[in-house]
Amino acid sequence: MARLAYVIKFVADMDRAVAFYRDTFDLAVKMQTPFWSELDTGETVLALHPASAANTAGSCQLGFNLDDLKGFYESGRVDFTAPPKEQHGTLLARMRDCEGAELSLSG
């Protein structure tokens, strides 16, 4: 089963973005660093990540948590842009949806 765990928003100014979402919507800040911040919206986390050439400021990416990411990868149902790899204590991978949008997967 897959669950929408994150909406990742790419931002030009992390401190300004955190303050905006915290103060405008009264969202609790779960964590804040220059490279990744999380705000509590209920079941889905609003994650903020610095923008880059590949992910411009204002763009978003969906992040799904899968019960069995490794099994999903091995099923060959989709093409991955990055295979599952242990990062920050979590198994992470990336794939594209049917319209070419990159999705972040964790498991």
Side-chain angles (χ1 to χ4, degrees):
M1 178 173 167
R3 291 169 301 286
L4 181 61
Y6 294 92
V7 173
I8 304 164
K9 174 93 176 357
F10 296 95
V11 300
D13 183 321
M14 183 65 74
D15 290 335
R16 190 174 95 201
V18 168
F20 174 82
Y21 287 102
R22 180 195 63 220
D23 299 344
T24 302
F25 299 109
D26 294 323
L27 298 177
V29 177
K30 292 176 64 173
M31 68 171 292
Q32 181 176 355
T33 74
F35 307 105
W36 183 266
S37 297
E38 295 183 359
L39 294 104
D40 186 4
T41 70
E43 290 192 31
T44 304
V45 172
L46 173 59
L48 305 176
H49 192 283
S52 66
N55 298 295
T56 57
S59 63
C60 294
Q61 184 178 94
L62 301 178
F64 288 91
N65 182 274
L66 283 79
D67 291 335
D68 183 10
L69 176 54
K70 195 170 193 175
F72 182 70
Y73 174 74
E74 291 170 352
S75 75
R77 290 172 31 186
V78 297
D79 292 327
F80 279 69
T81 57
K85 179 180 176 185
E86 189 79 23
Q87 295 179 5
H88 314 292
T90 302
L91 194 60
L92 299 174
R94 289 189 305 279
M95 60 173 276
R96 294 206 181 273
D97 72 7
C98 61
E99 296 184 338
E102 192 163 57
L103 305 175
S104 176
L105 307 174
S106 63

